[in-house]
Amino acid sequence: MPLVAAATGQLPARRPVWFMRQAGRSLPEYREIRASRGMLESCFDPELVCEITLQPVRRHDTDAAILFSDIVVPLRAAGIDLDIVAGTGPVIAHPVRTASDVAALPRLDRAEVGAVTAAIDLLLGELPDTVALIGFAGAPFTLASYLIEGGPSRTYERTKTMMRADPQLWHQLMGALTDITIGFLQAQLAAGVDAVQLFDSWAGTLSEAEYLAYVAPHSARVLAEVADSGVPRIHFGVGTGELLGAMTRIGADVIGVDWRIPLDVAAQRAGCGDPAARPVAIQGNLDPTALMAGDEVIERELRRILGEGERAVAAGARGHIVNLGHGVLPNTEASAITRAVELIHTL
Ligand code: 1CP
């Protein structure tokens, strides 16, 4: 599997590429399936999850499939009342803001994500041996931000306020979410995924000092609890240029990088080339909007990124997995993604 090879310091048979949010509204075949079914309903239907996960692999020839699910799926499975609203994202019926809200948080029983593990079972029977199946979960901070704010936020004001004003309550909430995240990842690993990605999408809103004090111990526990599996652990967030060192040191095997920072600079911040640091691979980092700017721009940007990736590897990164710096935007032409994959495999 080229993705696993690049993550573990072996020479991949071809340069591995996949795209965050590769399944989804950029694909007409996805829009057709979703026209008559809700998002959460789809996430708990193993056959639909399998089909939607396979769609981008079939169409684009990516080197990985990412399980079609959402970071709030284990919260819903555990019994938290929430919905995924089209055009908005997760919306929580009763936001978690007080000590009694935190005390009432449920635990995740593995059987509650049986639909997800059943989907993994189907996928393992369908995917070619060369294509990695990536499982994932939201990291405790990013999950906490949705639970506390009640939905998507630009400022995270209630989240940061609980974190700073009541650190004891904060750590209790983060502890409960860490347990749910570990359970969700372990269920996917037991079902046979080839890699896992921990999405701390919104951690980039924090300073490094606050990340270390309020978030890192919990994410470190997640990564430690899935280390035994031996599968590569990818850790990703948006706008995390200043956090890359910390996010790597807490136990990632692959560090995801957004488009704001060149991959060779990111590798240096992640400790690549430092004999005292654990070796890690890098993943990224095409700006998702570059896929909208036409073939010439796509090729120019990809050549630059592949060059920066090669420099990162020469400086000590274990490998480079090509990806976007964040998810595919819904207005992206599917054909632009297919051509980008072709280019990455031939350049
Ligand atoms: O192809 C894939 O990548 C697999 C599917 C996938 C993944 C990995 C979905 C489907 N969601 C996720 C993870 C996820 N969900 C993250 C982490 C990755 C990231 O940073 O993008 C986050 C933050 C969410 C939360 C979420 N769910 C949002 C973002 C809201 C915000 O705060 O801006 C949204 C819009 C959703 C809904 C969702 N999840 C997935 C899809 C295809 C959709 C859209 C569904 C719809 O509009 O009906």
Side-chain angles (χ1 to χ4, degrees), residues 108-161:
L108 176 68
D109 176 341
R110 296 266 191 95
E112 290 163 335
V113 289
V116 174
T117 52
I120 293 171
D121 218 47
L122 295 176
L123 279 159
L124 293 176
E126 296 276 337
L127 281 167
D129 289 347
T130 48
V131 177
L133 178 59
I134 302 175
F136 73 90
F141 175 79
T142 292
L143 293 179
S145 78
Y146 286 108
L147 285 181
I148 298 170
E149 305 293 338
S153 173
R154 283 210 317 272
T155 56
Y156 308 98
E157 55 199 67
R158 290 176 191 271
T159 307
K160 292 182 180 183
T161 298

Side-chain angles (χ1 to χ4, degrees), residues 18 69 98-99 102-103 128 181 200 203 218 260 277 309 342:
W18 68 281
S69 189
T98 66
V102 171
T181 294
D200 212 349
H218 304 284
R260 292 173 178 85
E342 257 169 39

